[in-house]
Every structure is written in C-alpha cells, then in structure tokens.
Amino acid sequence: MYQFAYAEIMEEGVVVSKDRERQVLDRSIALLEAAKEKNGYSREAIEAVYFTRRLWIRFIEDLRAPDNQLNDELRANLISIGIWILNETEKIRKRESSNFQGIIDITTIIRDGLK
C-alpha cells in the first residue's frame, strides 16, 4: 500500500516537472517571437536572449548531473542542442545574427517532446 502511494507521488513529480519545463520553454518561445517581431536589436531581443541563455544553461547543468535519469544518448543530444542554442544566442547578442526563428523552431520541438 505505501509503495503504491510512493510510486504515485514519484509519477506526479515527473508530470509536474515536465509541466514546469513546458512552461519555461513556452516563455522562452514567446520572448523570442516578440524579439523577432521587433526586427533588430531591441529591449525584447535582450530579454529573450538573457532568458533563453539562463534557461539552457540550467537545462545543461541538469542534464550533466549524475543523478539525471535520462539515457546517455538523449542527454548528449539535448546538451548538444543546448550548446547550439547558447551559440546562437551569443551571435544574436553580438549582433552577428538574428536567427530567432531557428531557436524558436528547435525550442518548440523540444517543448512538444515533453508530452
């Protein structure tokens, strides 16, 4: 009886975590879309870059943690994606790129995979 209840709590924890991850990815997408609409280096671009960088740095830290339960291949792929996003946001920050759409597309794919 107690083991079943614990399993339910653990499963609920995973669902809540995925929901939070979807929410922050939604926020990142919304900020990136607002920045893209401004078409240039704007306050919206700065906010989108800052938020997206912080988000992916946190994701990469979590993915690198030894207690992360994802399989090694998926973790490596997500870390690679995160590094690409960090590189793209850095190019935007330096005004060498305006590839908001590329980041939006990849982030949307990751968000949709969290179901």
Side-chain angles (χ1 to χ4, degrees):
M1 178 170 145
Y2 292 113
Q3 188 174 16
F4 181 69
Y6 179 74
E8 284 180 343
I9 291 168
M10 292 304 293
E11 182 62 31
E12 184 176 290
V14 170
V15 170
V16 169
S17 293
K18 285 185 177 186
D19 187 51
R20 274 193 225 125
E21 289 170 350
R22 273 192 299 275
Q23 288 175 10
V24 294
L25 289 168
D26 280 338
R27 175 79 174 133
S28 179
I29 291 165
L31 290 170
L32 291 163
E33 287 174 341
K36 180 183 153 200
E37 287 176 16
K38 285 293 182 177
N39 199 19
Y41 200 75
S42 62
R43 181 184 62 78
E44 289 81 3
I46 294 166
E47 186 177 358
V49 165
Y50 181 72
F51 184 87
T52 302
R53 286 185 62 77
R54 282 190 6 231
L55 172 63
W56 280 96
I57 288 168
R58 178 64 185 107
F59 279 165
I60 290 169
E61 288 171 352
D62 183 60
L63 290 163
R64 292 182 63 209
D67 60 342
N68 186 295
Q69 296 179 2
L70 296 176
N71 70 58
D72 290 344
E73 183 179 0
L74 179 56
R75 288 169 60 186
N77 289 337
L78 289 170
I79 288 170
S80 293
I81 290 167
I83 291 168
W84 180 83
I85 289 174
L86 291 176
N87 288 335
E88 287 300 305
T89 57
E90 183 63 12
K91 288 177 188 175
I92 292 170
R93 188 189 69 77
K94 290 181 173 181
R95 301 177 190 182
E96 297 170 356
S97 173
S98 59
N99 187 20
F100 292 105
Q101 190 60 53
I103 301 169
I104 291 166
D105 292 345
I106 297 300
T107 304
T108 301
I109 292 167
I110 299 297
R111 182 207 54 205
D112 292 349
L114 286 171
K115 297 183 179 180

